[in-house]
Coordinates of all heavy atoms in Angstrom, one line a residue:
L145 N -63.4 8.0 61.9 CA -64.4 7.2 62.6 C -65.5 6.7 61.7 O -66.2 5.7 62.1 CB -65.0 8.0 63.8 CG -64.1 8.5 64.9 CD1 -64.8 9.3 65.9 CD2 -63.4 7.2 65.5
Q146 N -65.7 7.3 60.6 CA -66.8 6.9 59.7 C -66.3 6.5 58.3 O -67.1 6.2 57.4 CB -67.8 8.0 59.5 CG -69.2 7.6 59.1 CD -70.2 8.7 59.1 OE1 -69.8 9.9 58.9 NE2 -71.4 8.4 59.4
E147 N -65.0 6.4 58.2 CA -64.3 6.0 56.9 C -64.9 6.8 55.7 O -65.2 6.3 54.7 CB -64.6 4.5 56.7 CG -63.9 3.6 57.7 CD -64.1 2.1 57.4 OE1 -64.8 1.8 56.4 OE2 -63.5 1.3 58.1
N148 N -64.9 8.1 56.0 CA -65.5 9.0 55.0 C -64.3 9.5 54.1 O -63.5 10.4 54.5 CB -66.2 10.2 55.6 CG -67.1 11.0 54.7 OD1 -66.6 11.4 53.6 ND2 -68.3 11.2 55.1
R149 N -64.2 9.0 52.9 CA -63.1 9.3 52.0 C -63.1 10.7 51.5 O -62.1 11.4 51.4 CB -63.1 8.3 50.9 CG -62.7 6.9 51.3 CD -62.7 6.0 50.1 NE -62.2 4.6 50.5 CZ -62.2 3.6 49.6 NH1 -62.7 3.7 48.4 NH2 -61.8 2.4 50.1
Q150 N -64.3 11.2 51.2 CA -64.3 12.6 50.6 C -63.9 13.7 51.6 O -63.3 14.6 51.2 CB -65.7 12.9 50.0 CG -66.9 12.7 51.0 CD -67.5 11.4 50.8 OE1 -67.0 10.5 50.3 NE2 -68.8 11.3 51.3
E151 N -64.2 13.4 52.8 CA -63.8 14.4 53.8 C -62.3 14.3 54.1 O -61.6 15.3 54.4 CB -64.6 14.3 55.1 CG -66.1 14.6 54.9 CD -66.8 14.7 56.1 OE1 -66.2 14.5 57.2 OE2 -68.1 15.0 56.1
L152 N -61.7 13.1 54.0 CA -60.3 12.9 54.1 C -59.6 13.6 52.9 O -58.5 14.2 53.1 CB -59.9 11.5 54.2 CG -60.2 10.7 55.6 CD1 -59.9 9.3 55.4 CD2 -59.5 11.4 56.7
I153 N -60.2 13.5 51.8 CA -59.6 14.2 50.6 C -59.6 15.7 50.8 O -58.6 16.3 50.5 CB -60.4 13.8 49.3 CG1 -60.2 12.3 49.0 CG2 -60.0 14.6 48.1 CD1 -61.0 11.7 47.9
V154 N -60.7 16.2 51.3 CA -60.7 17.7 51.6 C -59.7 18.1 52.6 O -59.1 19.1 52.6 CB -62.2 18.1 52.0 CG1 -62.2 19.6 52.4 CG2 -63.1 17.9 50.8
F155 N -59.5 17.2 53.6 CA -58.5 17.4 54.6 C -57.1 17.5 54.0 O -56.3 18.4 54.3 CB -58.6 16.3 55.7 CG -57.5 16.4 56.7 CD1 -57.4 17.4 57.6 CD2 -56.5 15.4 56.7 CE1 -56.4 17.5 58.6 CE2 -55.4 15.5 57.6 CZ -55.4 16.5 58.6
V156 N -56.8 16.6 53.1 CA -55.6 16.6 52.4 C -55.4 17.8 51.5 O -54.3 18.5 51.5 CB -55.4 15.3 51.5 CG1 -54.2 15.4 50.6 CG2 -55.4 14.1 52.3
L157 N -56.4 18.3 50.8 CA -56.4 19.5 50.0 C -56.1 20.7 50.9 O -55.4 21.6 50.5 CB -57.7 19.6 49.2 CG -57.9 18.6 48.1 CD1 -59.2 18.8 47.4 CD2 -56.8 18.6 47.1
S158 N -56.8 20.7 52.1 CA -56.5 21.9 53.0 C -55.1 21.9 53.5 O -54.5 23.0 53.6 CB -57.5 21.7 54.2 OG -58.8 21.7 53.8
I159 N -54.5 20.8 53.8 CA -53.1 20.7 54.2 C -52.2 21.2 53.0 O -51.2 21.9 53.2 CB -52.7 19.3 54.6 CG1 -53.6 18.9 55.9 CG2 -51.3 19.2 55.0 CD1 -53.3 19.8 57.1
L160 N -52.5 20.7 51.8 CA -51.7 21.1 50.7 C -51.8 22.6 50.4 O -50.8 23.3 50.1 CB -52.1 20.4 49.4 CG -51.8 18.9 49.4 CD1 -52.4 18.2 48.1 CD2 -50.3 18.7 49.4
L161 N -53.0 23.2 50.6 CA -53.1 24.7 50.4 C -52.3 25.4 51.5 O -51.7 26.5 51.2 CB -54.6 25.0 50.5 CG -55.5 24.6 49.3 CD1 -56.9 25.0 49.5 CD2 -55.0 25.3 48.0
E162 N -52.3 24.9 52.7 CA -51.5 25.6 53.7 C -50.0 25.5 53.5 O -49.3 26.4 53.7 CB -51.9 24.9 55.1 CG -51.1 25.5 56.3 CD -51.3 26.9 56.5 OE1 -52.4 27.4 56.1 OE2 -50.4 27.6 57.1
M163 N -49.6 24.3 52.9 CA -48.2 24.2 52.6 C -47.8 25.1 51.4 O -46.8 25.8 51.5 CB -47.9 22.8 52.2 CG -48.0 21.7 53.3 SD -47.9 20.0 52.8 CE -46.2 20.0 52.2
I164 N -48.7 25.3 50.4 CA -48.4 26.2 49.3 C -48.4 27.6 49.8 O -47.5 28.4 49.4 CB -49.5 26.0 48.2 CG1 -49.4 24.6 47.6 CG2 -49.4 27.1 47.1 CD1 -50.5 24.2 46.6
R165 N -49.3 28.0 50.7 CA -49.3 29.3 51.2 C -48.1 29.6 52.0 O -47.5 30.7 51.9 CB -50.6 29.5 52.1 CG -50.7 30.8 52.8 CD -52.0 31.0 53.6 NE -52.0 32.2 54.3 CZ -51.7 32.4 55.6 NH1 -51.2 31.3 56.2 NH2 -51.8 33.6 56.2
S166 N -47.6 28.6 52.8 CA -46.3 28.9 53.5 C -45.1 29.0 52.6 O -44.3 29.8 52.8 CB -46.1 27.7 54.5 OG -47.2 27.5 55.4
I167 N -45.1 28.2 51.5 CA -44.0 28.3 50.6 C -44.0 29.7 49.9 O -43.0 30.3 49.7 CB -44.1 27.2 49.5 CG1 -43.9 25.8 50.2 CG2 -43.1 27.4 48.4 CD1 -44.1 24.6 49.3
V168 N -45.2 30.2 49.5 CA -45.3 31.5 48.8 C -44.9 32.6 49.8 O -44.1 33.5 49.4 CB -46.7 31.7 48.3 CG1 -46.9 33.1 47.8 CG2 -47.0 30.7 47.2
N169 N -45.4 32.5 51.0 CA -45.0 33.6 52.0 C -43.5 33.6 52.3 O -42.9 34.6 52.5 CB -45.8 33.4 53.3 CG -47.3 33.7 53.1 OD1 -47.7 34.4 52.2 ND2 -48.1 33.2 54.0
F170 N -42.9 32.4 52.4 CA -41.5 32.3 52.7 C -40.7 32.8 51.5 O -39.6 33.4 51.7 CB -41.1 30.9 53.0 CG -39.7 30.7 53.5 CD1 -39.3 31.0 54.8 CD2 -38.8 30.2 52.6 CE1 -38.0 30.9 55.2 CE2 -37.4 30.0 53.0 CZ -37.1 30.4 54.3
S171 N -41.1 32.6 50.3 CA -40.3 33.0 49.2 C -40.3 34.5 48.9 O -39.3 35.0 48.4 CB -40.9 32.3 47.9 OG -42.2 32.7 47.7
V172 N -41.3 35.2 49.4 CA -41.3 36.6 49.2 C -40.7 37.4 50.4 O -40.6 38.6 50.4 CB -42.8 37.1 49.0 CG1 -43.4 36.5 47.8 CG2 -43.7 36.8 50.2
L173 N -40.3 36.7 51.4 CA -39.7 37.4 52.6 C -38.2 37.9 52.2 O -37.6 37.3 51.3 CB -39.6 36.4 53.8 CG -40.9 36.1 54.4 CD1 -40.7 35.1 55.5 CD2 -41.6 37.3 55.0
S174 N -37.8 38.9 52.9 CA -36.4 39.4 52.7 C -35.4 38.4 53.4 O -35.8 37.6 54.2 CB -36.3 40.8 53.4 OG -36.6 40.7 54.8
K175 N -34.2 38.6 53.0 CA -33.1 37.7 53.4 C -32.9 37.9 54.9 O -32.4 36.9 55.6 CB -31.9 37.9 52.7 CG -32.0 37.5 51.2 CD -30.7 37.8 50.5 CE -30.8 37.4 49.0 NZ -29.5 37.6 48.3
D176 N -33.2 39.0 55.5 CA -32.9 39.3 56.9 C -34.0 38.6 57.8 O -33.7 38.2 58.9 CB -33.0 40.8 57.2 CG -31.9 41.5 56.4 OD1 -30.9 40.9 56.1 OD2 -32.1 42.7 56.2
V177 N -35.2 38.4 57.3 CA -36.2 37.8 58.0 C -36.3 36.3 57.9 O -36.7 35.6 58.8 CB -37.6 38.4 57.6 CG1 -38.7 37.8 58.5 CG2 -37.5 39.9 57.8
K178 N -35.8 35.8 56.8 CA -35.9 34.3 56.5 C -35.2 33.4 57.6 O -35.8 32.4 57.9 CB -35.3 34.0 55.1 CG -36.2 34.3 54.0 CD -35.6 33.9 52.7 CE -36.6 34.2 51.5 NZ -36.1 33.7 50.2
P179 N -34.0 33.8 58.1 CA -33.5 32.9 59.2 C -34.4 32.7 60.4 O -34.3 31.7 61.0 CB -32.2 33.6 59.5 CG -31.8 34.4 58.3 CD -33.1 34.8 57.7
D180 N -35.1 33.7 60.7 CA -36.0 33.6 61.9 C -37.3 32.8 61.6 O -37.8 32.1 62.5 CB -36.5 35.0 62.4 CG -35.3 35.8 62.8 OD1 -34.3 35.3 63.3 OD2 -35.4 37.1 62.7
I181 N -37.7 32.8 60.4 CA -38.9 32.1 60.0 C -38.6 30.7 59.5 O -39.5 29.8 59.5 CB -39.7 32.9 58.9 CG1 -39.9 34.3 59.4 CG2 -41.0 32.2 58.6 CD1 -40.8 34.4 60.6
Q182 N -37.4 30.4 59.1 CA -37.0 29.1 58.5 C -37.3 27.9 59.3 O -37.9 26.9 58.8 CB -35.6 29.1 58.1 CG -35.2 27.9 57.3 CD -33.7 28.0 56.7 OE1 -33.0 29.0 57.1 NE2 -33.3 27.1 55.9
P183 N -37.1 27.9 60.7 CA -37.4 26.7 61.5 C -38.9 26.4 61.4 O -39.3 25.2 61.2 CB -36.9 27.0 62.9 CG -35.8 28.0 62.6 CD -36.3 28.8 61.5
R184 N -39.7 27.4 61.6 CA -41.2 27.2 61.6 C -41.6 26.7 60.2 O -42.5 25.9 60.1 CB -41.9 28.5 62.0 CG -43.4 28.3 62.1 CD -44.1 29.5 62.6 NE -44.0 30.6 61.6 CZ -44.6 31.8 61.7 NH1 -45.2 32.1 62.9 NH2 -44.5 32.7 60.8
F185 N -41.0 27.3 59.2 CA -41.3 26.9 57.8 C -41.0 25.4 57.5 O -41.8 24.7 56.9 CB -40.6 27.8 56.8 CG -40.7 27.4 55.4 CD1 -41.9 27.5 54.7 CD2 -39.6 26.8 54.7 CE1 -42.0 27.1 53.4 CE2 -39.7 26.4 53.4 CZ -40.9 26.6 52.7
I186 N -39.9 25.0 58.0 CA -39.5 23.6 57.8 C -40.5 22.6 58.6 O -40.9 21.6 58.1 CB -38.0 23.3 58.2 CG1 -37.1 24.1 57.3 CG2 -37.7 21.9 58.2 CD1 -35.7 24.1 57.7
V187 N -40.8 23.0 59.8 CA -41.7 22.2 60.6 C -43.1 22.1 59.9 O -43.7 21.0 59.9 CB -41.9 22.8 62.0 CG1 -43.0 22.1 62.8 CG2 -40.6 22.7 62.8
I188 N -43.6 23.2 59.4 CA -44.9 23.2 58.7 C -44.8 22.2 57.5 O -45.8 21.5 57.3 CB -45.3 24.6 58.2 CG1 -45.6 25.5 59.5 CG2 -46.5 24.6 57.3 CD1 -45.9 26.9 59.1
L189 N -43.8 22.3 56.7 CA -43.7 21.4 55.6 C -43.6 19.9 56.0 O -44.2 19.1 55.4 CB -42.4 21.8 54.7 CG -42.5 23.1 54.0 CD1 -41.3 23.3 53.1 CD2 -43.8 23.2 53.1
L190 N -42.8 19.6 57.0 CA -42.6 18.2 57.4 C -43.9 17.7 58.0 O -44.4 16.5 57.7 CB -41.5 18.1 58.5 CG -40.1 18.4 57.9 CD1 -39.1 18.3 59.1 CD2 -39.7 17.4 56.9
V191 N -44.6 18.5 58.9 CA -45.9 18.0 59.5 C -46.9 17.9 58.4 O -47.7 16.9 58.4 CB -46.3 19.0 60.6 CG1 -47.7 18.6 61.1 CG2 -45.3 19.0 61.7
G192 N -47.0 18.9 57.5 CA -47.9 18.8 56.4 C -47.7 17.6 55.5 O -48.7 16.9 55.1
L193 N -46.5 17.3 55.2 CA -46.2 16.1 54.4 C -46.6 14.8 55.1 O -47.1 13.9 54.5 CB -44.7 16.0 54.0 CG -44.2 14.9 53.1 CD1 -44.9 15.0 51.8 CD2 -42.7 15.0 52.9
F194 N -46.3 14.8 56.4 CA -46.7 13.6 57.2 C -48.3 13.4 57.2 O -48.8 12.3 57.0 CB -46.3 13.8 58.7 CG -46.8 12.8 59.6 CD1 -46.4 11.5 59.7 CD2 -47.8 13.2 60.5 CE1 -46.9 10.6 60.6 CE2 -48.4 12.3 61.4 CZ -47.9 11.0 61.4
H195 N -49.0 14.5 57.3 CA -50.5 14.4 57.3 C -51.0 14.0 55.9 O -51.9 13.1 55.8 CB -51.1 15.7 57.6 CG -51.1 16.0 59.1 ND1 -51.7 15.2 60.0 CD2 -50.6 17.1 59.8 CE1 -51.5 15.7 61.2 NE2 -50.9 16.8 61.1
V196 N -50.3 14.5 54.8 CA -50.8 14.1 53.5 C -50.5 12.6 53.2 O -51.4 11.9 52.7 CB -50.0 14.9 52.5 CG1 -50.2 14.4 51.0 CG2 -50.4 16.4 52.5
V197 N -49.4 12.1 53.6 CA -49.1 10.7 53.4 C -50.0 9.8 54.2 O -50.6 8.8 53.7 CB -47.6 10.4 53.7 CG1 -47.4 8.9 53.7 CG2 -46.7 11.1 52.8
C198 N -50.2 10.1 55.5 CA -51.1 9.3 56.3 C -52.6 9.3 55.9 O -53.3 8.3 55.8 CB -51.0 9.7 57.8 SG -49.4 9.4 58.5
A199 N -53.0 10.5 55.6 CA -54.4 10.7 55.1 C -54.7 10.0 53.8 O -55.7 9.3 53.6 CB -54.8 12.1 55.0
L200 N -53.7 10.1 52.9 CA -53.9 9.4 51.6 C -53.9 7.8 51.8 O -54.6 7.1 51.1 CB -52.8 9.8 50.6 CG -52.9 11.2 50.0 CD1 -51.7 11.5 49.1 CD2 -54.2 11.3 49.2
S201 N -53.1 7.4 52.7 CA -53.1 5.9 53.0 C -54.5 5.5 53.5 O -54.9 4.4 53.2 CB -52.0 5.6 54.0 OG -52.3 6.2 55.3
L202 N -55.1 6.3 54.3 CA -56.5 6.0 54.8 C -57.5 6.1 53.6 O -58.4 5.3 53.6 CB -56.9 7.0 55.9 CG -56.1 6.8 57.2 CD1 -56.6 7.9 58.2 CD2 -56.3 5.5 57.8
V203 N -57.3 7.0 52.7 CA -58.2 7.2 51.6 C -58.1 5.9 50.7 O -59.1 5.4 50.2 CB -57.9 8.5 50.8 CG1 -58.7 8.5 49.5 CG2 -58.3 9.7 51.7
L204 N -56.9 5.5 50.5 CA -56.7 4.3 49.6 C -56.9 3.0 50.2 O -56.8 2.0 49.6 CB -55.3 4.4 49.0 CG -55.0 5.7 48.1 CD1 -53.5 5.7 47.7 CD2 -55.9 5.8 46.9
G205 N -57.1 3.0 51.5 CA -57.3 1.7 52.3 C -58.7 1.1 52.1 O -59.5 1.7 51.3
Q206 N -58.9 0.0 52.7 CA -60.2 -0.7 52.6 C -61.3 0.0 53.3 O -61.1 0.5 54.4 CB -60.1 -2.1 53.1 CG -61.3 -3.0 52.8 CD -61.1 -4.4 53.4 OE1 -60.2 -4.7 54.2 NE2 -61.9 -5.4 52.9
N207 N -62.4 0.2 52.7 CA -63.6 0.8 53.2 C -64.7 -0.1 53.4 O -65.3 -0.6 52.3 CB -64.0 2.0 52.4 CG -65.0 3.0 53.1 OD1 -65.8 2.5 53.9 ND2 -65.0 4.2 52.7
M208 N -65.1 -0.5 54.6 CA -66.2 -1.5 54.8 C -67.4 -0.8 55.4 O -68.4 -1.6 55.7 CB -65.7 -2.5 55.8 CG -64.5 -3.4 55.3 SD -65.1 -4.5 53.9 CE -66.2 -5.5 54.8
M209 N -67.5 0.5 55.6 CA -68.6 1.1 56.2 C -69.9 0.9 55.4 O -71.0 0.6 56.0 CB -68.3 2.6 56.5 CG -69.4 3.3 57.3 SD -69.6 2.6 58.9 CE -68.1 3.1 59.7
A210 N -69.8 1.1 54.1 CA -71.0 0.9 53.3 C -71.6 -0.5 53.4 O -72.8 -0.7 53.5 CB -70.7 1.3 51.8
F211 N -70.7 -1.5 53.5 CA -71.2 -2.9 53.6 C -71.7 -3.2 55.0 O -72.7 -3.9 55.1 CB -70.0 -3.9 53.3 CG -70.3 -5.3 53.5 CD1 -71.1 -6.0 52.6 CD2 -69.9 -6.0 54.7 CE1 -71.4 -7.3 52.8 CE2 -70.2 -7.3 54.9 CZ -71.0 -8.0 53.9
R212 N -71.1 -2.6 56.0 CA -71.6 -2.8 57.4 C -73.0 -2.1 57.6 O -73.8 -2.6 58.4 CB -70.6 -2.3 58.4 CG -69.3 -3.0 58.3 CD -68.3 -2.4 59.3 NE -68.7 -2.5 60.7 CZ -68.0 -2.1 61.7 NH1 -66.8 -1.5 61.5 NH2 -68.4 -2.2 62.9
V213 N -73.2 -1.0 56.9 CA -74.5 -0.4 57.1 C -75.6 -0.9 56.1 O -76.7 -1.3 56.5 CB -74.3 1.1 56.9 CG1 -75.7 1.8 56.9 CG2 -73.4 1.7 57.9
G214 N -75.2 -1.1 54.9 CA -76.2 -1.5 53.9 C -76.3 -3.0 53.7 O -77.2 -3.5 53.0
G215 N -75.4 -3.8 54.3 CA -75.4 -5.2 54.1 C -74.9 -5.6 52.7 O -74.1 -4.9 52.1
A216 N -75.3 -6.8 52.3 CA -74.8 -7.3 51.0 C -75.5 -6.7 49.8 O -75.1 -7.0 48.7 CB -75.0 -8.9 51.0
L217 N -76.6 -5.9 50.0 CA -77.3 -5.4 48.9 C -76.5 -4.2 48.3 O -76.3 -3.2 49.0 CB -78.7 -4.9 49.3 CG -79.7 -6.0 49.7 CD1 -81.0 -5.4 50.2 CD2 -80.0 -6.9 48.6
E218 N -76.2 -4.3 47.0 CA -75.4 -3.2 46.4 C -76.2 -1.9 46.3 O -75.7 -0.8 46.4 CB -75.0 -3.6 45.0 CG -74.0 -4.7 45.0 CD -73.5 -5.1 43.6 OE1 -73.9 -4.4 42.7 OE2 -72.6 -6.0 43.5
S219 N -77.6 -2.0 46.2 CA -78.4 -0.8 46.1 C -78.3 0.0 47.4 O -78.2 1.2 47.4 CB -79.9 -1.2 45.8 OG -80.3 -2.1 46.8
L220 N -78.4 -0.7 48.6 CA -78.3 0.0 49.9 C -76.9 0.6 50.1 O -76.8 1.7 50.7 CB -78.7 -0.9 51.0 CG -80.2 -1.3 51.2 CD1 -80.4 -2.2 52.3 CD2 -81.0 0.0 51.4
Q221 N -75.9 -0.1 49.6 CA -74.5 0.4 49.7 C -74.4 1.7 48.9 O -73.8 2.7 49.3 CB -73.5 -0.6 49.3 CG -73.5 -1.9 50.2 CD -72.4 -2.9 49.7 OE1 -71.5 -2.5 49.0 NE2 -72.6 -4.1 50.0
L222 N -74.9 1.7 47.7 CA -74.9 2.9 46.9 C -75.7 4.0 47.5 O -75.2 5.2 47.5 CB -75.4 2.6 45.5 CG -75.4 3.7 44.5 CD1 -74.0 4.2 44.2 CD2 -76.1 3.3 43.1
Q223 N -76.8 3.7 48.1 CA -77.6 4.8 48.8 C -76.8 5.4 49.9 O -76.9 6.6 50.2 CB -78.9 4.2 49.2 CG -79.9 3.8 48.1 CD -81.1 3.0 48.6 OE1 -81.5 3.2 49.8 NE2 -81.7 2.3 47.7
Y224 N -76.2 4.5 50.7 CA -75.4 5.0 51.8 C -74.2 5.9 51.3 O -74.0 7.0 51.9 CB -74.8 3.8 52.6 CG -73.9 4.3 53.7 CD1 -74.3 4.8 54.9 CD2 -72.5 4.2 53.5 CE1 -73.5 5.3 55.9 CE2 -71.6 4.6 54.5 CZ -72.1 5.1 55.7 OH -71.2 5.6 56.6
N225 N -73.6 5.5 50.2 CA -72.5 6.4 49.7 C -73.0 7.7 49.2 O -72.4 8.8 49.5 CB -71.8 5.6 48.6 CG -71.0 4.4 49.0 OD1 -70.5 4.4 50.1 ND2 -70.9 3.4 48.2
M226 N -74.2 7.7 48.6 CA -74.8 9.0 48.2 C -75.2 9.9 49.4 O -75.0 11.1 49.4 CB -76.0 8.7 47.3 CG -75.7 8.2 45.9 SD -75.0 9.5 44.9 CE -73.3 8.9 44.8

Side-chain angles (χ1 to χ4, degrees):
L145 295 180
Q146 206 172 28
E147 295 182 356
N148 195 309
R149 289 180 175 175
Q150 53 264 20
E151 296 192 358
L152 287 175
I153 292 174
V154 173
F155 173 70
V156 171
L157 293 177
S158 301
I159 298 297
L160 290 176
L161 288 176
E162 178 60 25
M163 294 173 64
I164 293 173
R165 178 174 176 266
S166 299
I167 293 173
V168 172
N169 290 340
F170 185 78
S171 62
V172 299
L173 292 176
S174 61
K175 295 182 179 180
D176 298 334
V177 182
K178 281 186 177 181
D180 298 331
I181 306 297
Q182 188 173 4
R184 188 177 67 179
F185 171 71
I186 295 175
V187 170
I188 290 176
L189 291 184
L190 292 177
V191 174
L193 183 62
F194 170 75
H195 282 305
V196 169
V197 173
C198 293
L200 285 179
S201 64
L202 293 176
V203 171
L204 299 176
Q206 188 179 17
N207 192 331
M208 294 292 295
M209 186 61 70
F211 175 76
R212 295 176 64 180
V213 175
L217 294 176
E218 294 184 359
S219 59
L220 287 180
Q221 294 181 24
L222 180 60
Q223 292 173 22
Y224 173 78
N225 290 329
M226 285 291 105

